[in-house]
Amino acid sequence: TITGLKHNDVKRKHAQQYERSYVQRKMRQLIERVESLVMRREKSRVFDGDLGDRSTAKAVPSIELDEEDFIGVMGDDRVRSLLADLDIDDNPSGLFYKCDSNGDGFVSLNALMEAILQLRGGAQKSDVVANSLAMRALHVKFDQLMQVVDHLAAASSGK
C-alpha cells in the first residue's frame, strides 16, 4: 500500500541519516586518536586543512606519517577498533600504499580519511568494471608505445 511504501521510505531515510552520523562520529574519533598518537611521538607537522564536501570536521590537521609511523599508529588497538567499526579490514602495510597515492613515502591524515571513505564496504561490480576498463586502456596505450619504439629502433638500425 501507499502508506507502507511511505513508511519504508521514512525508515530508509532515518537509517541513512544514522549511518552518516555514525560514520562522521567514528571518523572524528579516529582523527583524534591518530592525532594523540602522533603528538606522543612528536613527529608531526600540524596546520589547518579540510576534506572538502565529505569532511567530518571543520578543519583536519595535516599530519604526515612515514610507513614506520603509519604502521605504528595502525597497530594501536583503539585505531584498529575504529577501523573495524568503519568496515576497514586491511593490513596496515597495504593500507599505507593505498593512502600514499603520490608515492612520496608519506601519508597525510587527509589522504588516510579519503582512503577510508573510499574503502568502506565491499567491492561492487562497478569497481571491477572500472578497473578492467582502465587496464584495457593502459594496455592499448602500451601497445601503441611499443609500436613507436619498434618503429624508431628499425629506423635507427637502418641508418
mmCIF file of all heavy atoms in Angstrom, residues 119-157:
data_model
loop_
_atom_site.group_PDB
_atom_site.id
_atom_site.type_symbol
_atom_site.label_atom_id
_atom_site.label_comp_id
_atom_site.label_asym_id
_atom_site.label_seq_id
_atom_site.Cartn_x
_atom_site.Cartn_y
_atom_site.Cartn_z
ATOM 1 N N LEU A 119 37.275 3.108 0.800
ATOM 2 C CA LEU A 119 37.413 1.669 1.022
ATOM 3 C C LEU A 119 36.252 1.052 1.791
ATOM 4 O O LEU A 119 36.167 -0.170 1.881
ATOM 5 C CB LEU A 119 38.709 1.379 1.792
ATOM 6 C CG LEU A 119 40.000 1.601 1.029
ATOM 7 C CD1 LEU A 119 41.190 1.496 1.966
ATOM 8 C CD2 LEU A 119 40.119 0.603 -0.108
ATOM 9 N N ARG A 120 35.387 1.879 2.337
ATOM 10 C CA ARG A 120 34.292 1.344 3.148
ATOM 11 C C ARG A 120 33.399 0.443 2.312
ATOM 12 O O ARG A 120 33.089 0.734 1.179
ATOM 13 C CB ARG A 120 33.443 2.482 3.727
ATOM 14 C CG ARG A 120 34.173 3.236 4.799
ATOM 15 C CD ARG A 120 33.279 4.134 5.602
ATOM 16 N NE ARG A 120 32.424 3.307 6.444
ATOM 17 C CZ ARG A 120 31.097 3.264 6.321
ATOM 18 N NH1 ARG A 120 30.484 3.994 5.444
ATOM 19 N NH2 ARG A 120 30.379 2.493 7.108
ATOM 20 N N GLY A 121 32.983 -0.662 2.913
ATOM 21 C CA GLY A 121 32.057 -1.572 2.255
ATOM 22 C C GLY A 121 32.771 -2.501 1.281
ATOM 23 O O GLY A 121 33.978 -2.423 1.077
ATOM 24 N N GLY A 122 32.028 -3.384 0.716
ATOM 25 C CA GLY A 122 32.588 -4.359 -0.205
ATOM 26 C C GLY A 122 32.760 -3.809 -1.609
ATOM 27 O O GLY A 122 32.213 -2.760 -1.953
ATOM 28 N N ALA A 123 33.520 -4.543 -2.393
ATOM 29 C CA ALA A 123 33.711 -4.153 -3.787
ATOM 30 C C ALA A 123 32.398 -4.335 -4.538
ATOM 31 O O ALA A 123 31.653 -5.276 -4.295
ATOM 32 C CB ALA A 123 34.794 -5.003 -4.423
ATOM 33 N N GLN A 124 32.135 -3.427 -5.429
ATOM 34 C CA GLN A 124 30.921 -3.513 -6.215
ATOM 35 C C GLN A 124 31.295 -3.831 -7.662
ATOM 36 O O GLN A 124 32.444 -3.664 -8.065
ATOM 37 C CB GLN A 124 30.163 -2.199 -6.125
ATOM 38 C CG GLN A 124 29.833 -1.851 -4.699
ATOM 39 C CD GLN A 124 28.585 -1.016 -4.594
ATOM 40 O OE1 GLN A 124 28.026 -0.591 -5.587
ATOM 41 N NE2 GLN A 124 28.149 -0.803 -3.376
ATOM 42 N N LYS A 125 30.340 -4.267 -8.405
ATOM 43 C CA LYS A 125 30.571 -4.630 -9.797
ATOM 44 C C LYS A 125 31.163 -3.460 -10.572
ATOM 45 O O LYS A 125 32.063 -3.633 -11.384
ATOM 46 C CB LYS A 125 29.267 -5.090 -10.439
ATOM 47 C CG LYS A 125 29.443 -5.634 -11.827
ATOM 48 C CD LYS A 125 28.130 -6.173 -12.354
ATOM 49 C CE LYS A 125 28.308 -6.758 -13.732
ATOM 50 N NZ LYS A 125 27.059 -7.298 -14.258
ATOM 51 N N SER A 126 30.703 -2.238 -10.288
ATOM 52 C CA SER A 126 31.209 -1.066 -10.998
ATOM 53 C C SER A 126 32.698 -0.843 -10.719
ATOM 54 O O SER A 126 33.432 -0.371 -11.589
ATOM 55 C CB SER A 126 30.415 0.179 -10.615
ATOM 56 O OG SER A 126 30.529 0.437 -9.232
ATOM 57 N N ASP A 127 33.165 -1.201 -9.508
ATOM 58 C CA ASP A 127 34.591 -1.076 -9.186
ATOM 59 C C ASP A 127 35.418 -2.014 -10.068
ATOM 60 O O ASP A 127 36.451 -1.627 -10.602
ATOM 61 C CB ASP A 127 34.856 -1.413 -7.713
ATOM 62 C CG ASP A 127 34.163 -0.474 -6.755
ATOM 63 O OD1 ASP A 127 33.989 0.712 -7.111
ATOM 64 O OD2 ASP A 127 33.797 -0.917 -5.653
ATOM 65 N N VAL A 128 34.953 -3.234 -10.206
ATOM 66 C CA VAL A 128 35.666 -4.227 -11.008
ATOM 67 C C VAL A 128 35.662 -3.821 -12.482
ATOM 68 O O VAL A 128 36.686 -3.892 -13.162
ATOM 69 C CB VAL A 128 35.035 -5.625 -10.820
ATOM 70 C CG1 VAL A 128 35.680 -6.646 -11.739
ATOM 71 C CG2 VAL A 128 35.147 -6.056 -9.364
ATOM 72 N N VAL A 129 34.521 -3.375 -12.974
ATOM 73 C CA VAL A 129 34.410 -2.964 -14.376
ATOM 74 C C VAL A 129 35.305 -1.757 -14.651
ATOM 75 O O VAL A 129 36.019 -1.718 -15.660
ATOM 76 C CB VAL A 129 32.939 -2.659 -14.742
ATOM 77 C CG1 VAL A 129 32.836 -2.011 -16.109
ATOM 78 C CG2 VAL A 129 32.117 -3.940 -14.702
ATOM 79 N N ALA A 130 35.310 -0.778 -13.743
ATOM 80 C CA ALA A 130 36.149 0.416 -13.928
ATOM 81 C C ALA A 130 37.623 0.038 -13.983
ATOM 82 O O ALA A 130 38.364 0.540 -14.832
ATOM 83 C CB ALA A 130 35.902 1.413 -12.797
ATOM 84 N N ASN A 131 38.049 -0.860 -13.108
ATOM 85 C CA ASN A 131 39.449 -1.297 -13.130
ATOM 86 C C ASN A 131 39.770 -2.054 -14.413
ATOM 87 O O ASN A 131 40.846 -1.892 -14.992
ATOM 88 C CB ASN A 131 39.767 -2.162 -11.913
ATOM 89 C CG ASN A 131 39.908 -1.339 -10.666
ATOM 90 O OD1 ASN A 131 40.291 -0.180 -10.715
ATOM 91 N ND2 ASN A 131 39.592 -1.944 -9.537
ATOM 92 N N SER A 132 38.855 -2.876 -14.866
ATOM 93 C CA SER A 132 39.062 -3.625 -16.099
ATOM 94 C C SER A 132 39.196 -2.682 -17.295
ATOM 95 O O SER A 132 40.079 -2.850 -18.143
ATOM 96 C CB SER A 132 37.903 -4.598 -16.314
ATOM 97 O OG SER A 132 38.042 -5.269 -17.531
ATOM 98 N N LEU A 133 38.327 -1.685 -17.364
ATOM 99 C CA LEU A 133 38.389 -0.719 -18.464
ATOM 100 C C LEU A 133 39.684 0.099 -18.413
ATOM 101 O O LEU A 133 40.299 0.363 -19.452
ATOM 102 C CB LEU A 133 37.169 0.197 -18.436
ATOM 103 C CG LEU A 133 35.832 -0.466 -18.755
ATOM 104 C CD1 LEU A 133 34.695 0.518 -18.529
ATOM 105 C CD2 LEU A 133 35.813 -1.008 -20.173
ATOM 106 N N ALA A 134 40.095 0.484 -17.216
ATOM 107 C CA ALA A 134 41.336 1.244 -17.077
ATOM 108 C C ALA A 134 42.532 0.402 -17.521
ATOM 109 O O ALA A 134 43.439 0.892 -18.202
ATOM 110 C CB ALA A 134 41.513 1.709 -15.641
ATOM 111 N N MET A 135 42.532 -0.869 -17.151
ATOM 112 C CA MET A 135 43.630 -1.756 -17.559
ATOM 113 C C MET A 135 43.638 -1.954 -19.072
ATOM 114 O O MET A 135 44.699 -1.979 -19.697
ATOM 115 C CB MET A 135 43.510 -3.116 -16.850
ATOM 116 C CG MET A 135 43.898 -3.061 -15.396
ATOM 117 S SD MET A 135 45.599 -2.538 -15.136
ATOM 118 C CE MET A 135 46.490 -3.884 -15.857
ATOM 119 N N ARG A 136 42.474 -2.089 -19.666
ATOM 120 C CA ARG A 136 42.388 -2.259 -21.117
ATOM 121 C C ARG A 136 42.933 -1.018 -21.831
ATOM 122 O O ARG A 136 43.704 -1.127 -22.787
ATOM 123 C CB ARG A 136 40.944 -2.515 -21.532
ATOM 124 C CG ARG A 136 40.817 -2.865 -23.013
ATOM 125 C CD ARG A 136 39.401 -3.208 -23.402
ATOM 126 N NE ARG A 136 38.930 -4.351 -22.625
ATOM 127 C CZ ARG A 136 37.663 -4.552 -22.322
ATOM 128 N NH1 ARG A 136 36.743 -3.708 -22.728
ATOM 129 N NH2 ARG A 136 37.306 -5.597 -21.637
ATOM 130 N N ALA A 137 42.561 0.168 -21.350
ATOM 131 C CA ALA A 137 43.046 1.416 -21.950
ATOM 132 C C ALA A 137 44.560 1.535 -21.792
ATOM 133 O O ALA A 137 45.259 1.955 -22.711
ATOM 134 C CB ALA A 137 42.356 2.615 -21.306
ATOM 135 N N LEU A 138 45.062 1.147 -20.633
ATOM 136 C CA LEU A 138 46.509 1.179 -20.395
ATOM 137 C C LEU A 138 47.228 0.202 -21.329
ATOM 138 O O LEU A 138 48.292 0.520 -21.869
ATOM 139 C CB LEU A 138 46.795 0.833 -18.937
ATOM 140 C CG LEU A 138 48.234 0.941 -18.468
ATOM 141 C CD1 LEU A 138 48.760 2.358 -18.644
ATOM 142 C CD2 LEU A 138 48.335 0.530 -17.011
ATOM 143 N N HIS A 139 46.636 -0.956 -21.533
ATOM 144 C CA HIS A 139 47.220 -1.946 -22.437
ATOM 145 C C HIS A 139 47.295 -1.416 -23.869
ATOM 146 O O HIS A 139 48.303 -1.582 -24.559
ATOM 147 C CB HIS A 139 46.395 -3.235 -22.376
ATOM 148 C CG HIS A 139 46.957 -4.355 -23.169
ATOM 149 N ND1 HIS A 139 48.101 -5.016 -22.803
ATOM 150 C CD2 HIS A 139 46.544 -4.933 -24.326
ATOM 151 C CE1 HIS A 139 48.372 -5.954 -23.694
ATOM 152 N NE2 HIS A 139 47.436 -5.923 -24.631
ATOM 153 N N VAL A 140 46.239 -0.744 -24.317
ATOM 154 C CA VAL A 140 46.220 -0.161 -25.664
ATOM 155 C C VAL A 140 47.317 0.893 -25.788
ATOM 156 O O VAL A 140 48.065 0.918 -26.775
ATOM 157 C CB VAL A 140 44.825 0.432 -25.983
ATOM 158 C CG1 VAL A 140 44.861 1.306 -27.218
ATOM 159 C CG2 VAL A 140 43.802 -0.681 -26.133
ATOM 160 N N LYS A 141 47.437 1.763 -24.801
ATOM 161 C CA LYS A 141 48.475 2.809 -24.826
ATOM 162 C C LYS A 141 49.872 2.177 -24.847
ATOM 163 O O LYS A 141 50.757 2.643 -25.553
ATOM 164 C CB LYS A 141 48.339 3.729 -23.620
ATOM 165 C CG LYS A 141 47.079 4.522 -23.604
ATOM 166 C CD LYS A 141 47.384 5.954 -23.847
ATOM 167 C CE LYS A 141 46.096 6.745 -23.702
ATOM 168 N NZ LYS A 141 45.947 7.722 -24.712
ATOM 169 N N PHE A 142 50.055 1.124 -24.073
ATOM 170 C CA PHE A 142 51.347 0.445 -24.039
ATOM 171 C C PHE A 142 51.665 -0.173 -25.400
ATOM 172 O O PHE A 142 52.804 -0.080 -25.886
ATOM 173 C CB PHE A 142 51.362 -0.622 -22.944
ATOM 174 C CG PHE A 142 52.689 -1.297 -22.786
ATOM 175 C CD1 PHE A 142 53.726 -0.657 -22.126
ATOM 176 C CD2 PHE A 142 52.903 -2.559 -23.315
ATOM 177 C CE1 PHE A 142 54.959 -1.270 -21.989
ATOM 178 C CE2 PHE A 142 54.130 -3.176 -23.187
ATOM 179 C CZ PHE A 142 55.171 -2.534 -22.521
ATOM 180 N N ASP A 143 50.669 -0.795 -26.020
ATOM 181 C CA ASP A 143 50.878 -1.371 -27.358
ATOM 182 C C ASP A 143 51.265 -0.289 -28.362
ATOM 183 O O ASP A 143 52.158 -0.498 -29.200
ATOM 184 C CB ASP A 143 49.612 -2.100 -27.838
ATOM 185 C CG ASP A 143 49.410 -3.433 -27.142
ATOM 186 O OD1 ASP A 143 50.357 -3.930 -26.498
ATOM 187 O OD2 ASP A 143 48.279 -3.963 -27.223
ATOM 188 N N GLN A 144 50.609 0.877 -28.278
ATOM 189 C CA GLN A 144 50.952 1.987 -29.171
ATOM 190 C C GLN A 144 52.385 2.455 -28.934
ATOM 191 O O GLN A 144 53.128 2.725 -29.881
ATOM 192 C CB GLN A 144 49.981 3.155 -28.969
ATOM 193 C CG GLN A 144 48.580 2.857 -29.454
ATOM 194 C CD GLN A 144 47.583 3.930 -29.042
ATOM 195 O OE1 GLN A 144 47.851 4.756 -28.178
ATOM 196 N NE2 GLN A 144 46.403 3.892 -29.662
ATOM 197 N N LEU A 145 52.770 2.539 -27.676
ATOM 198 C CA LEU A 145 54.137 2.944 -27.342
ATOM 199 C C LEU A 145 55.146 1.929 -27.881
ATOM 200 O O LEU A 145 56.190 2.314 -28.424
ATOM 201 C CB LEU A 145 54.288 3.092 -25.823
ATOM 202 C CG LEU A 145 55.676 3.461 -25.319
ATOM 203 C CD1 LEU A 145 56.098 4.834 -25.835
ATOM 204 C CD2 LEU A 145 55.707 3.430 -23.797
ATOM 205 N N MET A 146 54.846 0.671 -27.751
ATOM 206 C CA MET A 146 55.745 -0.368 -28.259
ATOM 207 C C MET A 146 55.888 -0.285 -29.782
ATOM 208 O O MET A 146 56.978 -0.488 -30.321
ATOM 209 C CB MET A 146 55.248 -1.765 -27.848
ATOM 210 C CG MET A 146 55.453 -2.060 -26.375
ATOM 211 S SD MET A 146 57.170 -1.875 -25.820
ATOM 212 C CE MET A 146 58.000 -3.096 -26.790
ATOM 213 N N GLN A 147 54.817 0.051 -30.481
ATOM 214 C CA GLN A 147 54.896 0.210 -31.933
ATOM 215 C C GLN A 147 55.817 1.371 -32.292
ATOM 216 O O GLN A 147 56.619 1.270 -33.218
ATOM 217 C CB GLN A 147 53.503 0.436 -32.526
ATOM 218 C CG GLN A 147 52.640 -0.798 -32.529
ATOM 219 C CD GLN A 147 51.225 -0.517 -33.026
ATOM 220 O OE1 GLN A 147 50.840 0.630 -33.247
ATOM 221 N NE2 GLN A 147 50.451 -1.582 -33.210
ATOM 222 N N VAL A 148 55.711 2.466 -31.556
ATOM 223 C CA VAL A 148 56.575 3.626 -31.805
ATOM 224 C C VAL A 148 58.027 3.267 -31.527
ATOM 225 O O VAL A 148 58.923 3.596 -32.318
ATOM 226 C CB VAL A 148 56.127 4.840 -30.948
ATOM 227 C CG1 VAL A 148 57.147 5.959 -30.989
ATOM 228 C CG2 VAL A 148 54.769 5.337 -31.411
ATOM 229 N N VAL A 149 58.279 2.571 -30.426
ATOM 230 C CA VAL A 149 59.648 2.164 -30.085
ATOM 231 C C VAL A 149 60.202 1.226 -31.145
ATOM 232 O O VAL A 149 61.354 1.377 -31.590
ATOM 233 C CB VAL A 149 59.695 1.516 -28.676
ATOM 234 C CG1 VAL A 149 61.019 0.841 -28.414
ATOM 235 C CG2 VAL A 149 59.397 2.551 -27.598
ATOM 236 N N ASP A 150 59.410 0.259 -31.564
ATOM 237 C CA ASP A 150 59.856 -0.671 -32.621
ATOM 238 C C ASP A 150 60.159 0.084 -33.910
ATOM 239 O O ASP A 150 61.160 -0.189 -34.584
ATOM 240 C CB ASP A 150 58.789 -1.737 -32.883
ATOM 241 C CG ASP A 150 58.676 -2.750 -31.757
ATOM 242 O OD1 ASP A 150 59.611 -2.826 -30.921
ATOM 243 O OD2 ASP A 150 57.643 -3.458 -31.705
ATOM 244 N N HIS A 151 59.288 1.048 -34.249
ATOM 245 C CA HIS A 151 59.495 1.846 -35.460
ATOM 246 C C HIS A 151 60.796 2.643 -35.357
ATOM 247 O O HIS A 151 61.578 2.704 -36.307
ATOM 248 C CB HIS A 151 58.296 2.772 -35.691
ATOM 249 C CG HIS A 151 58.443 3.655 -36.903
ATOM 250 N ND1 HIS A 151 58.440 3.158 -38.181
ATOM 251 C CD2 HIS A 151 58.630 4.994 -36.999
ATOM 252 C CE1 HIS A 151 58.588 4.166 -39.030
ATOM 253 N NE2 HIS A 151 58.716 5.273 -38.334
ATOM 254 N N LEU A 152 61.029 3.271 -34.213
ATOM 255 C CA LEU A 152 62.251 4.059 -34.017
ATOM 256 C C LEU A 152 63.486 3.164 -34.025
ATOM 257 O O LEU A 152 64.530 3.556 -34.577
ATOM 258 C CB LEU A 152 62.175 4.841 -32.698
ATOM 259 C CG LEU A 152 61.191 6.001 -32.677
ATOM 260 C CD1 LEU A 152 61.098 6.586 -31.264
ATOM 261 C CD2 LEU A 152 61.573 7.074 -33.678
ATOM 262 N N ALA A 153 63.372 1.991 -33.431
ATOM 263 C CA ALA A 153 64.508 1.055 -33.425
ATOM 264 C C ALA A 153 64.835 0.602 -34.851
ATOM 265 O O ALA A 153 66.002 0.512 -35.231
ATOM 266 C CB ALA A 153 64.205 -0.134 -32.537
ATOM 267 N N ALA A 154 63.796 0.306 -35.627
ATOM 268 C CA ALA A 154 64.006 -0.127 -37.014
ATOM 269 C C ALA A 154 64.611 0.999 -37.837
ATOM 270 O O ALA A 154 65.498 0.788 -38.661
ATOM 271 C CB ALA A 154 62.688 -0.598 -37.620
ATOM 272 N N ALA A 155 64.142 2.226 -37.615
ATOM 273 C CA ALA A 155 64.652 3.375 -38.363
ATOM 274 C C ALA A 155 66.102 3.648 -38.004
ATOM 275 O O ALA A 155 66.916 3.988 -38.890
ATOM 276 C CB ALA A 155 63.794 4.614 -38.087
ATOM 277 N N SER A 156 66.462 3.515 -36.724
ATOM 278 C CA SER A 156 67.849 3.806 -36.338
ATOM 279 C C SER A 156 68.796 2.687 -36.751
ATOM 280 O O SER A 156 69.963 2.940 -37.027
ATOM 281 C CB SER A 156 67.939 4.032 -34.814
ATOM 282 O OG SER A 156 67.672 2.821 -34.132
ATOM 283 N N SER A 157 68.331 1.462 -36.853
ATOM 284 C CA SER A 157 69.199 0.366 -37.285
ATOM 285 C C SER A 157 69.396 0.383 -38.802
ATOM 286 O O SER A 157 70.393 -0.126 -39.313
ATOM 287 C CB SER A 157 68.643 -0.987 -36.846
ATOM 288 O OG SER A 157 67.435 -1.273 -37.534
#
